[in-house]
Amino acid sequence: MEKLTKLAEIVGTDVVEQLFQLSHWLKDVTVVHVNSTREGGGVAEILRNLVSLMRELGIDAHWEVIEGTPEFFQCTKGIHNALHGHNVVIPDRLLSVYREVNRENAERLKDVLQDADVVFIHDPQPAALIEHFPDRKGKWIWRCHIDISKPQREVWKFLKQFVERYDGSIFHLASFAKRLSHPMYLIPPSIDPLGEKNIPLDREEIVKTYEELGIDLSRPVLLQVSRFDRLKDPIGVIQAYRMVKRFFPSVQLVLAGGGAKDDPESMAVLSEVRAAANGEKDIHVLFLPTNDRLINALQRGATIIIQKSIREGFGLTVTEGMWKYKPVIGGDTGGIRLQVINYHTGFLVNTPEGAALRIRYLLSHPEVRKEMGRKAHSFVKENFLITRHLRDYLSVMISQLYNIYERLELV
Ligand code: UDP
């Protein structure tokens, strides 16, 4: 069965029918997505799905990945952190590496990008590709997946010189958008309910997964799934757990994550987390290879999902937990705010103390956990599944290719 048919069983046939109607406007259109990694992190995950669904709709969709040196990724990690507002100094030498690597990739991808009708460039890493395509045929859109509402000015100024050249840009939330002289679109990301990470699993599989990891499923489990990144505040989660543990001695904490290939800092953060856990037997720090089914089982077996980020683009782990009928305790930041509705789908928190308070409340109110989980699931169904996401991308392509902005005199 085609994937869209299966999706229709979950979201309704009217939703999928609308996708086909929109795709009629995009016959014979070639679209290329470009990002910096094929695995790890939310962007790769979403691209894999979007591209295959666009193909099912009859659109000629492709996905390319830029190649870089360790120095390049060191630079782009610096840019990423600086755009999040951290005070990072990026030496001019590294900025030259950034431009040079983009030039090399532009050369390598010349044929596929030059003639594409629509090109989506994801995040800062490949943003500078555009300077090497002065005579490009298609519309180029910069898709930003991170919170750049309070960037370090120098670094944003550097990046903006490239972003300004695009025909449009996409942000997750209004508060992330910058003042730019081209059309800007707001598109929150999504999850795939048919992917290995989100499909329903038998209880047996969940139990077996927990057994193999040495975690006791008969006791409460707090789970945070995240790359080992300081912005995800794993240490804050351990602090919150310790405050809860005094009142609920049976509680366990699982911090599960892997490293994205473009993230050289993850190993250092992992060591910090292990040191903070200090060998405590009920804290499970898991450094995992990519394994969607395992993450799925972990999320389904958890009592409460935590995502205590200090900054967050969107927070797909929040969406994933909510889809699995779990209440989520999330950092009061970025896209988590779009998903965690206080007292309805979970709680927003700002400190380890706040997180501990909410965890204690939920642990002692199983009926509230159940009700919140139910609301969380239907909230995701309405707003954060791949079908809604795909519809938004098709709309952007139509708006660009048919010059809707100009027709409406919006620019
Ligand atoms: N993820 C995973 N394994 C890990 C850590 C994360 O599969 O060890 C997945 C997680 O389930 C989610 C994505 O990677 O789908 C992370 O997306 P999110 O938006 O939460 O954070 P990002 O890594 O993009 O900052």
Side-chain angles (χ1 to χ4, degrees):
M1 207 193 311
E2 296 263 49
K3 184 156 178 178
L4 283 166
T5 316
K6 289 190 196 154
L7 281 169
E9 287 170 7
I10 298 168
V11 297
T13 45
D14 53 332
V15 171
V16 172
E17 176 62 26
Q18 191 192 19
L19 295 175
F20 276 103
Q21 284 170 4
L22 287 171
S23 68
H24 277 300
W25 296 87
L26 299 167
K27 288 265 171 284
D28 307 319
V29 162
T30 300
V31 51
V32 185
H33 292 268
V34 183
N35 81 324
S36 66
T37 176
R38 226 172 257 285
E39 274 177 37
V43 178
E45 174 91 18
I46 284 167
L47 281 183
R48 187 167 305 114
N49 283 322
L50 272 185
V51 168
S52 79
L53 287 171
M54 281 184 182
R55 286 187 180 174
E56 237 184 83
L57 287 170
I59 298 166
D60 185 20
H62 303 266
W63 174 16
E64 299 290 345
V65 174
I66 57 162
E67 292 166 1
T69 55
E71 264 193 326
F72 171 77
F73 288 118
Q74 186 193 338
C75 175
T76 57
K77 182 69 188 173
I79 292 178
H80 181 99
N81 287 340
L83 291 174
H84 269 123
H86 288 231
N87 209 2
V88 192
V89 179
I90 305 172
D92 285 347
R93 187 184 58 79
L94 279 188
L95 294 178
S96 306
V97 170
Y98 170 81
R99 289 181 97 137
E100 178 55 18
V101 166
N102 267 277
R103 192 196 59 73
E104 287 162 14
N105 279 284
E107 185 61 33
R108 191 172 59 83
L109 300 171
K110 194 166 68 195
D111 295 341
V112 44
L113 295 182
Q114 177 62 32
D115 293 326
D117 299 300
V118 184
V119 175
F120 289 102
I121 299 288
H122 295 260
D123 280 337
Q125 296 92 332
L129 284 175
I130 197 165
E131 60 176 344
H132 305 287
F133 293 89
D135 306 319
R136 59 193 173 272
K137 173 185 162 202
K139 301 285 189 177
W140 283 46
I141 318 286
W142 185 59
R143 197 329 173 197
C144 180
H145 294 266
I146 54 181
D147 174 357
I148 57 167
S149 51
K150 295 188 192 77
Q152 194 189 307
R153 273 180 61 196
E154 279 306 299
V155 173
W156 170 239
K157 208 171 128 200
F158 171 76
L159 191 68
K160 192 177 169 198
Q161 65 180 314
F162 310 115
V163 172
E164 283 283 11
R165 300 185 191 199
Y166 284 76
D167 299 291
S169 48
I170 306 176
F171 298 90
H172 287 327
L173 317 175
S175 62
F176 290 10
K178 306 268 34 144
R179 191 178 279 275
L180 293 164
S181 55
H182 57 217
M184 286 176 282
Y185 308 87
L186 301 179
I187 306 184
S190 65
I191 58 162
D192 174 15
L194 296 172
E196 290 280 292
K197 202 179 286 173
N198 296 301
I199 45 164
L201 298 180
D202 292 339
R203 180 75 190 161
E204 223 172 81
E205 181 169 347
I206 299 167
V207 170
K208 189 161 166 267
T209 303
Y210 271 80
E211 254 172 33
E212 281 171 5
L213 293 168
I215 307 160
D216 180 358
L217 206 44
S218 67
R219 294 193 275 138
V221 173
L222 313 174
L223 171 70
Q224 175 158 302
V225 175
S226 280
R227 288 179 294 106
F228 286 98
D229 184 319
R230 291 186 190 95
L231 295 174
K232 309 284 185 182
D233 199 19
I235 307 281
V237 177
I238 292 178
Q239 289 166 350
Y241 157 84
R242 291 218 160 97
M243 291 176 217
V244 172
K245 185 80 171 168
R246 281 188 264 141
F247 297 89
F248 291 87
S250 66
V251 75
Q252 306 162 93
L253 174 65
V254 181
L255 292 169
K261 272 196 190 144
D262 61 353
D263 183 6
E265 268 175 28
S266 55
M267 298 318 283
V269 178
L270 177 64
S271 315
E272 287 168 26
V273 172
R274 290 208 165 118
N278 198 22
E280 195 172 322
K281 71 173 183 3
D282 280 340
I283 302 181
H284 299 266
V285 180
L286 310 175
F287 190 72
L288 303 167
T290 305
N291 184 341
D292 289 352
R293 242 182 136 89
L294 178 77
I295 298 290
N296 188 346
L298 279 175
Q299 288 168 331
R300 286 187 189 276
T303 316
I304 297 168
I305 300 287
I306 300 177
Q307 190 55 60
K308 218 202 101 16
S309 307
I310 292 159
R311 281 293 183 97
E312 189 61 73
F314 182 69
L316 280 171
T317 53
V318 172
T319 333
E320 289 158 10
M322 287 170 61
W323 181 244
K324 292 164 186 120
Y325 296 89
K326 306 293 172 184
V328 177
I329 294 181
D332 187 3
T333 180
I336 298 178
R337 286 187 186 145
L338 272 189
Q339 308 183 70
V340 175
I341 312 297
N342 256 334
Y343 294 93
H344 292 280
T345 63
F347 290 107
L348 291 171
V349 297
N350 290 290
T351 57
E353 289 78 6
L357 191 76
R358 298 312 196 184
I359 294 168
R360 283 171 54 195
Y361 170 75
L362 286 177
L363 285 178
S364 48
H365 293 85
E367 71 296 347
V368 176
R369 287 205 304 271
K370 202 166 172 198
E371 176 58 13
M372 279 189 170
R374 201 190 49 74
K375 280 193 193 171
H377 177 83
S378 55
F379 196 66
V380 169
K381 186 169 170 179
E382 285 299 315
N383 299 292
F384 302 119
L385 293 186
I386 184 88
T387 36
R388 189 276 308 149
H389 200 173
L390 182 56
R391 186 190 67 208
D392 288 349
Y393 267 88
L394 300 181
S395 304
V396 169
M397 288 161 70
I398 290 169
S399 133
Q400 284 283 330
L401 291 170
Y402 293 86
N403 297 320
I404 304 288
Y405 268 78
E406 285 82 352
R407 289 194 205 185
L408 295 174
E409 294 179 3
L410 290 172
V411 284

